[in-house]
Structure formats: C-alpha cells, structure tokens
Amino acid sequence: MGYSLEHDEPVLDGIRRVCGEQVDDAIAALGDGFTDDPHVAIHEVRKHCKKIRGAVRLVRPVVHSKRYRAVNELARDAARELSDFRDARALTGTFERLREVVEFDADQMAATHDVLVADQTAAEEAITPENSSVVRSRELLVELRDAVDRLRATDTDWDAISPGLVKTYERGRVAMATCIDRPTGESFHEWRKRAKYTRYHLGLITPSAPDLLDALEQTFHQLTDALGDAHDLFVLEQRLDDVDGIDGTRLLIAGARADLERRAVRLGRRLYAESGKRFEQRLGTYWDAWRSEPVDAAAGGLGSVSG
C-alpha cells in the first residue's frame, strides 16, 4: 500500500501496517535472493529500518514508552549490524563521485583509491548469508515484526500525530542552529537524522495535501541527500586520517564537505522558517480537510473535468 497513511485508516492501524510492510520487505531482502546482490539487499534493509524508526517516531508521544523503545531499538540494531558492509562500499563510491568534480593529484588519488578498494574488497568477501552480522540482523528483524504488532496508542487521529510531528521538526530546527554555531561533522550528522525523520513524517501524511506536501517532502529529501553526502565525506576524512602522503586530498575532501554543509544551511533556513506550532497548525488544517473529504487528484484545469 506504500509508505503513507490512508484516508479512512485509524492512525495507529496505519503505522502498524506501514511498519509491518517495511519489516516484511527487510526480512525478504535477507532471504533467498540475498546472494544475488548483497549490497542492494543491505541497502534495502537499512532503508526499511530507517523508515520504521521514522514512522514510529511520529507517534512516539502517544505510544507506550516500552513498546516504542522495543521497535526503535530493534530497527536501529538490525540496521547497525550491517553498517560496516555499507560504509566500505559507500566510501569508495563517494570518492569516485568526488573525482568527477574535483581534480586530485594523480599519485595521491591512486593511494587513496587503493586504501578504499582494499576496504571494500575485505567487506565484500565477508558478506555471506552465514555471516554473523547478517544472521543477527535477520533475527532482530523477526523480533521487530512482533514488536510492531504490539504497538498501541492513547490518542487517535491528528492528536496521535501532531506531538511527534512538532517534536521532530523542532529538534531539526535546534540541530540546524547547532550546526550554524558549532559546525562539526557530528553536528551535521545529527541534523541529518532529525531532517530525515521529518521527511518520513511528511511522506506518511502527504495524501492529505499531495499538491503541497509532495513538493515539501521532496525538498526535505534534497536537504537530507546533501547532508548525507557531507557525512560520507566526513567519514572518508576520518578513514584517511592515518594515511601518509595525501594531505592535499584530505584538504580537497574537507573543502567539498564544507561546501555541501553551507548549501544545506541555506536550504534549511527556508525549510525551518516556521515555528513548530505554525508548522503543525498548517499541516493539521490539511489533515482535517482530507479526513472530511479525500483528495482524489490534483485540481487541474478545464481539461481535467470529467463528463
């Protein structure tokens, strides 16, 4: 049914459905087809786990804290088991993409490339269905499926959504302000996590005003992509910190990261221009209108009128 709530669907039923679908897809990714392309499977599992954490965070203030923690921590840990495999390939890809836009010293570029390829090769050799991290991730996902089914909430409809929506959005505003005051790789990574949760929240409620919220969700996606690339460059800097003879390469990587971070701040100032209260009020108005009358399609012009 997709990563969104439906018009006639009680909110918690929708959250359980969305999370359940994500878990099932993650378990399937680690199933029989895993060996066809392990890197794709790992990417899919991590993506599904992040979406689960985003969905349950939307209703966190109205869900029993123990049950929220169970879902959040199981999803986090299932993804974390696979993070080393992801990082090794991601850093190589990040450096390759950077090479397309930045001119490196040939010798330093070769030395850097050799280090990253060696890391990737070692990670690829370890990726098997029997690898202990893959097995453990699969076990955690099975536990997660049961934890999702046990989710219950104290509020319904918009009251089940608005507190989590505001809390996450406000945390994103604070995280952005921290990045502006104290720009570090860690602070920008923290902002990315908050912005990604808001992006997922918007995706869940986009059907309430698709003409308006789809564009907003996509713009948050642009922000998190920029912050994600910046974080990969930060991790790349750390990985290369003890490699000799590539000081110029490290400087170029740091410069590219700083440029992405500046661009992210410029976009973020606009995305977080509203207070959390006004953000919630605006989206709540869309939601109430949608609940009373579903949005079937874009308004369109005369050509969209049916006989």
Side-chain angles (χ1 to χ4, degrees):
M1 293 185 185
Y3 192 80
S4 61
L5 300 176
E6 298 184 348
H7 172 252
D8 294 324
E9 187 175 43
V11 169
L12 252 292
D13 288 352
I15 295 298
R16 282 194 297 267
R17 173 185 58 78
V18 164
C19 290
E21 290 170 356
Q22 295 297 317
V23 180
D24 291 343
D25 287 346
I27 292 173
L30 294 184
D32 295 338
F34 176 77
T35 53
D36 293 342
D37 194 332
H39 286 290
V40 170
I42 287 169
H43 172 74
E44 289 299 309
V45 171
R46 288 172 53 80
K47 180 180 69 176
H48 292 312
C49 287
K50 289 175 182 177
K51 285 188 171 184
I52 291 165
R53 296 183 71 192
V56 74
R57 192 170 294 262
L58 179 61
V59 293
R60 178 180 183 178
V62 299
V63 170
H64 190 286
S65 59
K66 184 177 180 179
R67 293 182 178 183
Y68 163 78
R69 285 198 302 273
V71 171
N72 184 61
E73 291 173 7
L74 286 166
R76 179 199 65 198
D77 293 346
R80 187 176 288 172
E81 288 288 340
L82 306 174
S83 61
D84 287 346
F85 301 132
R86 180 267 175 195
D87 288 346
R89 191 174 196 184
L91 294 189
T92 304
T94 296
F95 185 66
E96 292 297 329
R97 286 188 289 127
L98 187 60
R99 285 173 56 183
E100 296 176 2
V101 295
V102 173
E103 185 175 350
F104 290 97
D105 174 84
D107 291 336
Q108 293 191 27
M109 180 179 67
T112 302
H113 184 263
D114 288 347
V115 170
L116 298 178
V117 169
D119 287 350
Q120 180 177 328
T121 300
E124 288 176 343
E125 290 174 352
I127 304 177
T128 67
E130 297 77 26
N131 180 279
S132 60
S133 292
V134 175
V135 171
R136 181 57 181 155
S137 181
R138 191 182 299 114
E139 292 171 346
L140 291 168
L141 289 170
V142 172
E143 292 181 46
L144 176 58
R145 191 64 179 85
D146 291 336
V148 165
D149 289 338
R150 291 194 294 270
L151 286 173
R152 297 291 184 273
T154 56
D155 288 313
T156 59
D157 209 57
W158 188 249
D159 289 338
I161 293 175
S162 60
L165 184 77
V166 172
K167 186 173 184 178
T168 297
Y169 178 82
E170 286 286 9
R171 285 186 170 184
R173 294 183 89 209
V174 171
M176 180 182 69
T178 300
C179 290
I180 294 170
D181 292 341
R182 298 188 299 278
T184 65
E186 292 83 0
S187 64
F188 275 96
H189 183 49
E190 186 64 24
W191 181 23
R192 181 202 179 204
K193 290 189 290 184
R194 304 303 174 190
K196 181 163 280 194
Y197 288 139
T198 290
R199 171 191 149 200
Y200 289 146
H201 293 175
L202 290 168
L204 287 164
I205 65 172
T206 284
S208 66
D211 289 344
L212 301 170
L213 295 183
D214 185 64
L216 182 59
E217 189 268 339
Q218 288 301 315
T219 308
F220 264 96
H221 197 167
Q222 293 173 22
L223 173 64
T224 57
D225 279 352
L227 291 171
D229 285 348
H231 179 66
D232 284 342
L233 290 172
F234 173 65
V235 176
L236 181 58
E237 288 179 71
Q238 293 182 310
R239 173 61 188 92
L240 300 175
D241 188 55
D242 59 353
V243 179
D244 294 330
I246 60 166
D247 289 347
T249 294
R250 279 193 289 266
L251 285 173
L252 289 170
I253 293 171
R257 175 168 70 89
D259 183 55
L260 280 172
E261 291 169 350
R262 284 192 295 269
R263 292 169 182 262
V265 168
R266 287 200 296 269
L267 179 57
R269 288 183 188 275
R270 291 158 178 78
L271 286 173
Y272 289 97
E274 294 175 290
S275 68
K277 181 178 180 180
R278 290 193 174 186
F279 183 71
E280 183 273 335
Q281 288 175 337
R282 177 164 64 92
L283 272 58
T285 300
Y286 302 157
W287 179 272
D288 290 341
W290 178 58
R291 286 300 219 188
S292 63
E293 183 177 9
V295 180
D296 295 325
L302 183 60
S304 65
V305 175
S306 59

